[in-house]
Amino acid sequence: MNTNNKIIAFFKKYSHAWVFLYAFIYMPWFQYLEKHIQHNYYVIHSPLDDFIPFVEYFIIPYYMWFAFIAVAVFYFFFTDKAGFYRVASFLIIGMTAFLLICTFFPNGLNLRPAVFARDNFCVDLVRFLYKADTPTNVLPSIHVFNTLGVLIAISHSDRIRNHRFVLAFSYMLGILIILSTVFLKQHSVTDVIAALALAGIAYPFVYVSQARKATKFSHQPI
């Protein structure tokens, strides 16, 4: 096989890469919201937020979220085209809903601590996070929603379900990531609940409907 044929075969094999073009919609839109929604937004707060302490050590799983999502998405991209389309559809539904909600319902938080009780490496990482990320555009929590999306995709993967350690580690890390959003005061409990609700809405469209289609086609005469 010559070089041209190899290139053509590569692009045919990974033709589903077009999905990544969504980043050119999401990132400029999100950056616009981050830049322009700084005042006159609805403050998200739950009474439960007042009972949750600030714990800087949760910054570790919070940052691990970026690798967790990327590794999972690329795993499905390279090994399971159908699984990739499902998880990508799920994430895109949630992220688009998030952008629309924040556009028409500007929101933010007043939960971040003004001073820190301790001074350590994790607190330094939190300071960096607070400086880089504004306390606006928080509902629903994309950290939580995308984590749920990956965990659902993993639970539907026959290949991953056969690796109990990977499955257990993924669920454990996913839970820690979700908890980190409230213990770092990056999100309100309300944001977490909204992400759970949004995931519950997206799930039937992406996974239940696909399962029904697969069952229907499996009963078609050959």
Side-chain angles (χ1 to χ4, degrees), residues 17-222:
W18 68 268
V19 174
F20 292 118
L21 292 174
Y22 177 74
F24 292 100
I25 297 174
Y26 180 82
M27 290 307 299
W29 193 345
F30 177 73
Q31 290 300 325
Y32 173 85
L33 293 175
E34 285 286 278
K35 183 177 179 180
H36 289 84
I37 299 179
Q38 298 181 0
H39 308 285
N40 300 321
Y41 54 79
Y42 184 84
V43 177
I44 307 298
H45 182 266
S46 166
L48 294 176
D49 297 331
D50 301 329
F51 295 96
I52 300 174
F54 170 82
V55 182
E56 71 270 20
Y57 304 110
F58 274 98
I59 193 66
I60 303 301
Y62 188 89
Y63 275 136
M64 288 179 69
W65 175 83
F66 296 95
F68 182 59
I69 301 300
V71 168
V73 168
F74 279 105
Y75 170 82
F76 285 102
F77 176 80
F78 287 112
T79 66
D80 182 356
K81 188 174 182 179
F84 170 76
Y85 273 126
R86 285 193 292 269
V87 69
S89 297
F90 192 95
L91 299 184
I92 287 173
I93 288 173
M95 290 188 289
T96 303
F98 160 78
L99 291 172
L100 290 170
I101 291 170
C102 292
T103 298
F104 296 104
F105 179 65
N107 54 80
L109 298 172
N110 287 331
L111 295 176
R112 293 178 174 181
V115 294
F116 297 99
R118 294 172 294 277
D119 190 12
N120 52 45
F121 176 68
C122 287
V123 168
D124 290 339
L125 290 178
V126 174
R127 288 194 180 101
F128 177 80
L129 173 64
Y130 285 0
K131 184 177 181 181
D133 187 24
T134 68
T136 57
N137 307 310
V138 296
L139 183 118
S141 168
I142 286 300
H143 243 69
V144 173
F145 180 87
N146 284 2
T147 299
L148 292 171
V150 165
L151 292 179
I152 291 170
I154 288 172
S155 71
H156 280 265
S157 171
D158 293 331
R159 185 177 299 180
I160 296 178
R161 282 203 302 263
N162 292 327
H163 298 277
R164 294 184 178 181
F165 173 79
V166 174
L167 196 63
F169 176 79
S170 297
Y171 279 116
M172 181 181 67
L173 179 57
I175 291 171
L176 288 174
I177 289 172
I178 292 171
L179 290 175
S180 74
T181 63
V182 292
F183 279 99
L184 291 176
K185 302 302 179 180
Q186 277 290 93
H187 285 283
S188 164
V189 171
T190 304
D191 303 330
V192 175
I193 294 173
L196 290 168
L198 183 57
I201 294 171
Y203 179 81
F205 290 100
V206 177
Y207 288 95
V208 176
S209 62
Q210 291 299 318
R212 287 174 179 170
K213 288 179 182 178
T215 302
K216 178 180 179 180
F217 286 122
S218 69
H219 288 84
Q220 296 294 319
I222 300 175

